């Protein structure tokens, strides 16, 4: 018997970042949108104990030990229910690694749901979300999907209404960026100024609710973008290429280095993608729309 869970990537249409807290995390107002790039996590009983394998683009960059969020999810669930984590977790990876699209978090949420189904633990949604929050700030949203506002360090979710599909183009960079490094650079750049409390934009939430791409384009923002550009200046060329190709909006996705471009419709997204491929400013280009469902047994 095996269980496979499909889990989406995310784009942050708003990422407002507050000052560093005493615990080292930052208060956030993080508006997530799940988009149609997916990893699949398959859980199968293993006589050899916990094992992780991975295939797909960037698979060589994925850790196959117990630091992997999928492994940590299996260990956390097994610990709660007093069982041994005798499971083989195979990750079919399509979400960019270290790309600011929550690929590792997606694998954690996918493994958690897959192990819950495989072992028949019957954990409630609240229990699963509690484990997700222990695993990482983005993991709860990977379980929930759709659209949501994350507060605290991003783990406290309020699901949001979305009035239609939004079409995106994602440009993958030639190398990754470390999320902790980007936050450290944010702190360095912010040393000389007062950082306001992070608040979700009412205009942005209204644009999501209406399904209005042009209104959303006018309100997207990412407070980590200056830090990502400071560490990876070449991303500015990719952002400029997407804007020149007709994207309604361009921004760094989360902590980067993947860049995201909002298009008017599917046809416009394909035109932006073609221009980005021809620009030689990025490694790969993908199109996707959202919102899509969160972690789902398939």
């Amino acid at each position: 018997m095996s269980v496979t869970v499909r889990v989406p990537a995310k784009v942050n249409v708003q990422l407002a970042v507050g000052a560093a807290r005493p615990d080292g995390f930052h208060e956030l107002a993080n508006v997530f949108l799940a988009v149609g790039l997916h990893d699949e996590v398959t859980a199968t009983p293993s006589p050899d104990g916990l094992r992780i394998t991975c295939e797909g683009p960037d698979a060589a960059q994925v850790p196959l030990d117990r630091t992997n969020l999928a492994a940590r999810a299996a260990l956390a669930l097994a610990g709660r229910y007093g069982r041994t984590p005798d499971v083989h977790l195979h990750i079919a990876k399509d979400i960019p690694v270290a790309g600011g699209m929550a690929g590792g978090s997606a694998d954690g949420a996918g493994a958690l749901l897959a192990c819950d189904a495989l072992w028949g633990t019957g954990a409630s949604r609240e229990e699963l979300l509690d484990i997700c929050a222990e695993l990482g700030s983005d993991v709860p949203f990977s379980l929930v999907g759709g659209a949501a506002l994350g507060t605290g360090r991003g783990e406290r979710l309020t699901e949001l209404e979305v009035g239609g599909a939004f079409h995106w183009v994602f440009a993958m960079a030639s190398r990754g960026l470390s999320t902790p490094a980007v936050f450290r650079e944010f702190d360095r750049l912010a040393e000389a100024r007062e950082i306001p409390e992070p608040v979700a934009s009412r205009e942005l939430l209204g644009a999501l609710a209406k399904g209005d791409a042009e209104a959303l384009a006018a309100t997207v923002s990412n407070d980590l973008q200056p830090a990502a550009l400071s560490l990876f200046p070449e991303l500015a060329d990719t952002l400029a290429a997407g804007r020149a190709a007709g994207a309604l909006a361009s921004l760094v996705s989360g902590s980067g280095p993947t860049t995201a471009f909002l298009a008017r419709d599917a046809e416009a997204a394909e035109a932006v993608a073609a221009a980005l491929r021809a620009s030689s400013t990025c490694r790969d280009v993908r199109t996707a729309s959202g919102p899509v469902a969160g972690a789902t047994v398939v």
Side-chain angles (χ1 to χ4, degrees):
M1 178 186 175
S2 66
V3 176
T4 297
V5 171
R6 195 168 186 244
V7 60
K10 60 81 179 169
V11 62
N12 305 90
V13 291
Q14 181 187 2
L15 180 49
V17 182
R21 308 187 317 198
D23 63 4
F25 290 103
H26 295 70
E27 286 292 321
L28 304 176
N30 197 352
V31 181
F32 297 101
L33 186 72
V35 295
L37 299 177
H38 294 86
D39 284 359
E40 289 190 349
V41 182
T42 300
T44 307
S46 169
D48 303 318
L50 178 61
R51 287 199 309 128
I52 306 288
T53 55
C54 184
E55 63 174 321
D58 303 332
Q61 301 178 47
V62 176
L64 302 180
D65 57 17
R66 294 192 175 199
T67 64
N68 188 300
L69 276 172
R72 290 174 53 200
L75 290 166
L77 185 67
R80 285 211 179 195
Y81 283 87
R83 63 171 300 139
T84 55
D86 297 331
V87 64
H88 171 205
L89 297 171
H90 180 71
I91 302 167
K93 177 152 284 295
D94 196 39
I95 302 172
V97 175
M101 299 187 74
S105 296
D107 297 341
L112 185 63
L113 189 59
C115 289
D116 176 62
L118 181 70
W119 295 337
T121 51
S124 68
R125 184 176 177 83
E126 290 71 25
E127 286 178 285
L128 293 176
L129 284 170
D130 186 48
I131 296 172
C132 285
E134 292 173 2
L135 294 171
S137 301
D138 289 346
V139 184
F141 179 71
S142 295
L143 187 72
V144 170
L149 168 63
T151 55
R153 54 182 170 83
E155 84 284 10
R156 297 199 303 266
L157 298 178
T158 302
E159 294 186 52
L160 298 173
E161 178 186 354
V162 181
F166 293 94
H167 298 273
W168 294 87
V169 181
F170 297 99
M172 286 52 165
S174 57
R175 60 181 173 86
L177 270 178
S178 158
T179 296
V182 174
F183 272 99
R184 286 193 297 271
E185 183 68 359
F186 171 87
D187 290 337
R188 187 188 72 81
L189 294 174
E191 282 176 349
R193 63 181 176 86
E194 185 79 16
I195 301 175
E197 288 295 315
V199 178
S201 162
R202 290 185 180 181
E203 292 79 11
L204 181 139
L205 299 182
L208 283 174
K210 292 176 183 175
D212 187 332
E214 292 195 5
L216 183 63
T219 54
V220 295
S221 64
N222 180 2
D223 286 354
L224 290 182
Q225 183 161 311
L229 289 172
S230 175
L231 296 174
F232 199 152
E234 299 90 338
L235 296 179
D237 295 333
T238 314
L239 292 170
R243 288 193 299 271
L248 296 177
S250 63
L251 73 164
V252 172
S253 180
S255 59
T258 299
T259 45
F261 304 88
L262 180 61
R264 183 170 286 101
D265 52 32
E267 183 179 0
E270 290 299 336
V272 172
L276 283 165
R277 290 188 187 101
S279 72
S280 301
T281 64
C282 53
R283 174 174 57 87
D284 192 16
V285 180
R286 304 287 298 278
T287 59
S289 61
V292 298
T296 305
V297 176
V298 296

